[in-house]
Amino acid sequence: MRIRKIVMSAAAVAATIGLAGAVHAQSVRGVTKSEIIIGMHTDLSGPAASYGVHSSQAMRLKFDEINAQGGINGRKIRLIVEDSQYQVPRAVQAGNKLINRDKIFLMAGALGTPHNNAVFPEQFKAEVPNLAPLTAARSMSEPFHRLKFQTFSSYYDHTRAGIKYLVQKNGRKKLCSLYQDTDFGKEILDAVQDQAKAMNMQVVETATNTPVATDFTAQITKLRSAGCDLVAMGAIVRDAIVPYATARKMGWTDVDFTSQSASFDQIVASAPGGATEGLYVGAGTVMPYRDTANPTVAAWWDAYKAKYNADPNIGAVYGHNIADLIVTALDRAGKDLTTDKFLKGLESISGYRDIFGGPVISFGPNKHQGTTEVLYYQIQKGRFVQIGGGPIMY
């Protein structure tokens, strides 16, 4: 009888523990005993699909690798990707599905400034963290929010650091700006004006363009007539290539053009006919090339190409780094996973460096911007070549 009572008591304790575990798994959104659900709204079929497709594929490659090893603390990672087609209404629709229907634990690598900003209210209401969105806008980490984490430096940082570098190294004196007439472009203008003030300079002239502009003759003529010798651009891809090529075709060569990470795309560096040769670009990460890669990066490159039958681009670099940070934070959060423990896991990351050799990333309880360091590049012979001897600051 006594033995029977002991056995029954042990069974009751085990049942209680099991029930507690089940209650925990059910009480944390996006977390079960067997999986963790991560969401991503991005562009898979629109104008920025090159970023969205490659970043999501690289994340999936990393998660597949981790899952094949048994997952994190016994849980597999499931990534759900929704196509926004780079349209804000579609991003909101995709975000709402991920948050309210899929009950995701985390949003990661979401693409686009207005797209993220539009999804944030519903996302944060549901207590879903946002990690490493694919935009370098300051609003991804400012103002401070317990659920917002950005890994790399901002467009603002890239622009200010680039201006300072060229003024000091190349002796530039007449600062100007060419930027999109959008919120993105205005952020670049803010950086230009703030850096000019910090260096006791004047912004000599400005010119604007629409995101779909194809002719920049008027803008380049205006800036050249003003005597600009340094033009900071609020440009992405095409609106970085075309104005720079226009200036060179017009014979305007005694001027430096600098852009930021929205232009940090191999499409820009490899523009036909060397159209962007000499362009400067600030960025928050490294642009790898297979023929110069170290063994670790080469192995990653080959694994990506084997799985997707395509070479990885800069979007894939972002995707790998995001996934690796997620894995690191989940591991630190422990088996009894909650949102708060995951946030603490992120905040405990210090001195992290990705496999590509990018800037050191460190978070903290009051620091959710991983770095403000800028890597500075010049396009030389169709490639981004790092200059400045390491990260630059302003």
Side-chain angles (χ1 to χ4, degrees):
M1 181 66 71
R2 183 180 179 186
I3 294 174
R4 183 180 178 187
K5 287 182 178 180
I6 292 173
V7 171
M8 291 177 65
S9 297
V13 170
T16 301
I17 292 173
L19 180 60
V23 168
H24 170 263
Q26 293 173 3
S27 64
V28 181
R29 59 175 298 130
V31 178
T32 69
K33 292 176 66 176
S34 60
E35 71 175 6
I36 302 162
I37 305 172
I38 295 172
M40 180 184 194
H41 59 85
T42 191
D43 184 4
L44 300 178
S45 60
S50 176
Y51 286 97
V53 170
H54 284 270
S55 59
S56 60
Q57 288 182 166
M59 288 175 68
R60 201 175 300 281
L61 178 66
K62 178 66 177 179
F63 293 150
D64 286 350
E65 174 191 334
I66 296 299
N67 289 343
Q69 298 170 2
I72 303 294
N73 294 312
R75 294 187 179 96
K76 303 291 181 68
I77 301 173
R78 177 156 65 99
L79 177 65
I80 303 176
V81 183
E82 293 292 334
D83 186 9
S84 70
Q85 299 181 347
Y86 208 64
Q87 298 176 26
V88 173
R90 286 185 176 273
V92 171
Q93 183 180 27
N96 285 340
K97 173 190 176 290
L98 292 167
I99 295 161
N100 298 315
R101 188 187 307 174
D102 298 316
K103 304 292 183 182
I104 60 172
F105 174 71
L106 167 71
M107 190 81 77
L111 179 67
T113 303
H115 313 76
N116 274 277
N117 287 336
V119 174
F120 279 167
E122 184 73 12
Q123 181 178 334
F124 295 156
K125 180 181 176 182
E127 286 286 294
V128 176
N130 200 71
L131 174 64
L134 289 191
T135 161
R138 287 177 292 173
S139 60
M140 299 302 103
S141 61
E142 300 175 12
F144 180 88
H145 191 291
R146 64 183 288 271
L147 297 174
K148 290 200 295 191
F149 288 79
Q150 180 57 293
T151 54
F152 42 78
S153 47
S154 68
Y155 302 132
Y156 180 89
D157 296 327
H158 306 156
T159 301
R160 291 195 61 173
I163 291 170
K164 182 178 180 180
Y165 180 89
L166 294 173
V167 168
Q168 293 182 340
K169 298 294 184 180
N170 292 0
R172 297 310 186 184
K173 301 183 186 315
K174 294 187 176 181
L175 175 61
C176 299
S177 185
L178 171 63
Y179 60 95
Q180 285 189 10
D181 55 356
T182 61
D183 288 343
F184 158 71
K186 290 172 184 174
E187 182 157 343
I188 306 307
L189 180 62
D190 285 345
V192 173
Q193 293 172 332
D194 289 350
Q195 190 59 31
K197 183 177 180 180
M199 302 185 77
N200 295 315
M201 299 177 68
Q202 295 294 320
V203 179
V204 175
E205 186 60 274
T206 63
T208 62
N209 62 275
T210 66
V212 296
T214 58
D215 186 352
F216 288 80
T217 304
Q219 291 94 329
I220 294 301
T221 300
K222 179 183 180 183
L223 296 174
R224 187 180 189 183
S225 298
C228 310
D229 61 12
L230 173 55
V231 178
M233 294 199 294
I236 300 181
V237 175
R238 181 174 60 184
D239 57 336
I241 297 171
V242 178
Y244 187 82
T246 300
R248 294 305 188 243
K249 286 180 181 178
M250 293 171 60
W252 189 23
T253 57
D254 57 341
V255 57
D256 290 332
F257 282 75
T258 184
S259 198
Q260 29 53 53
S261 63
S263 306
F264 191 54
D265 190 309
Q266 188 56 27
I267 294 172
V268 176
S270 59
T276 53
E277 189 74 4
L279 175 67
Y280 294 95
V281 178
T285 190
V286 169
M287 177 73 73
Y289 294 97
R290 176 62 179 83
D291 59 353
T292 57
N294 64 43
T296 300
V297 174
W300 167 80
W301 188 292
D302 293 343
Y304 184 96
K305 189 167 184 176
K307 187 175 181 67
Y308 299 115
N309 196 31
D311 287 326
N313 67 1
I314 191 63
V317 172
Y318 294 136
H320 171 83
N321 292 345
I322 294 166
D324 194 54
L325 277 170
I326 291 171
V327 169
T328 301
L330 287 173
D331 185 58
R332 295 188 180 193
K335 188 171 182 62
D336 189 23
L337 180 62
T338 66
T339 298
D340 284 342
K341 287 183 178 180
F342 177 74
L343 297 179
K344 289 180 180 178
L346 280 173
E347 291 173 346
S348 73
I349 293 174
S350 180
Y352 171 92
R353 174 161 272 170
D354 62 54
I355 64 172
F356 308 100
V360 173
I361 293 174
S362 298
F363 294 119
N366 300 306
K367 181 181 183 297
H368 287 186
Q369 176 82 38
T371 184
T372 57
E373 290 183 349
V374 177
L375 300 182
Y376 207 47
Y377 297 86
Q378 186 179 37
I379 296 175
Q380 300 175 11
K381 297 181 180 179
R383 291 191 174 192
F384 287 102
V385 176
Q386 189 176 344
I387 60 176
I392 64 173
M393 304 290 285
Y394 59 87

